[in-house]
Amino acid sequence: MYDRFYIMHMQDRPLYFSNITHHASVTQCLGSITGGVWYLGLAKPSVLDSKERKEEDCNNDILQSPCGHFYVPPAVDEVRIFRISGPKFVKLEKGTWHAGPLFKGDSMDFYNLELNNTNVVDHTKHDFKEQNGVVFLVEE
């Protein structure tokens, strides 16, 4: 596996989301190239190691990702939306649930640092609309 630092040209990313994603094995870094305003929905990591899994065996919320690891889905009330502006680079720790980047306007360019195959081998998604009947809306 190799790290890759690349530019993502994002289009049509309106200020709402219902899907949130995590990468259990890697960190990820994002930043706006122009320093414009953008938003990122976040929830704390919920990946379980084998010891935690044994302690939580009675918890029916434990799921296994298609990638192989075990996790607890993020709770609706634990999601926070952050407004980011200026020349900032955001580091997402392993397992951090994230949605975005979201922004006004037609398109924005972002720096992204991750493994070259992160979205193929380490991508777990939770659909709040399907599972919880919730869509998150950014209000400015």
Side-chain angles (χ1 to χ4, degrees):
M1 288 185 270
Y2 298 98
D3 291 340
R4 69 175 175 165
F5 181 70
Y6 66 102
I7 296 172
M8 294 188 311
H9 179 71
M10 310 285 296
Q11 292 183 285
D12 301 319
R13 301 297 300 238
L15 300 180
Y16 63 87
F17 65 93
S18 61
N19 290 323
I20 196 164
T21 299
H22 77 222
H23 309 296
S25 301
V26 298
T27 59
Q28 182 179 14
C29 296
L30 283 177
S32 166
I33 290 176
T34 61
V37 174
W38 55 288
Y39 298 86
L40 194 59
L42 297 173
K44 66 181 180 180
S46 59
V47 176
L48 302 175
D49 63 24
S50 56
K51 180 182 177 187
E52 289 173 316
R53 195 170 142 244
K54 287 177 185 173
E55 292 171 0
E56 299 263 345
D57 272 342
C58 60
N59 184 342
N60 292 333
D61 292 338
I62 295 175
L63 300 175
Q64 185 172 15
S65 168
C67 302
H69 65 275
F70 290 88
Y71 68 98
V72 176
V76 171
D77 61 352
E78 291 181 354
V79 175
R80 301 291 182 264
I81 300 172
F82 292 87
R83 180 184 187 273
I84 303 162
S85 64
K88 295 174 183 73
F89 212 57
V90 177
K91 179 184 177 188
L92 305 176
E93 293 294 335
K94 291 179 183 180
T96 302
W97 291 97
H98 57 284
L102 310 170
F103 50 85
K104 284 184 168 181
D106 295 333
S107 66
M108 268 182 94
D109 294 327
F110 293 87
Y111 299 111
N112 192 359
L113 176 63
E114 62 185 5
L115 294 179
N116 66 341
N117 62 353
T118 295
N119 287 323
V120 176
V121 301
D122 188 13
H123 186 266
T124 303
K125 180 181 91 167
H126 178 76
D127 186 335
F128 282 108
K129 186 174 183 179
E130 181 181 301
Q131 299 297 321
N132 308 94
V134 172
V135 174
F136 293 92
L137 174 66
V138 177
E139 294 181 345
E140 292 189 296

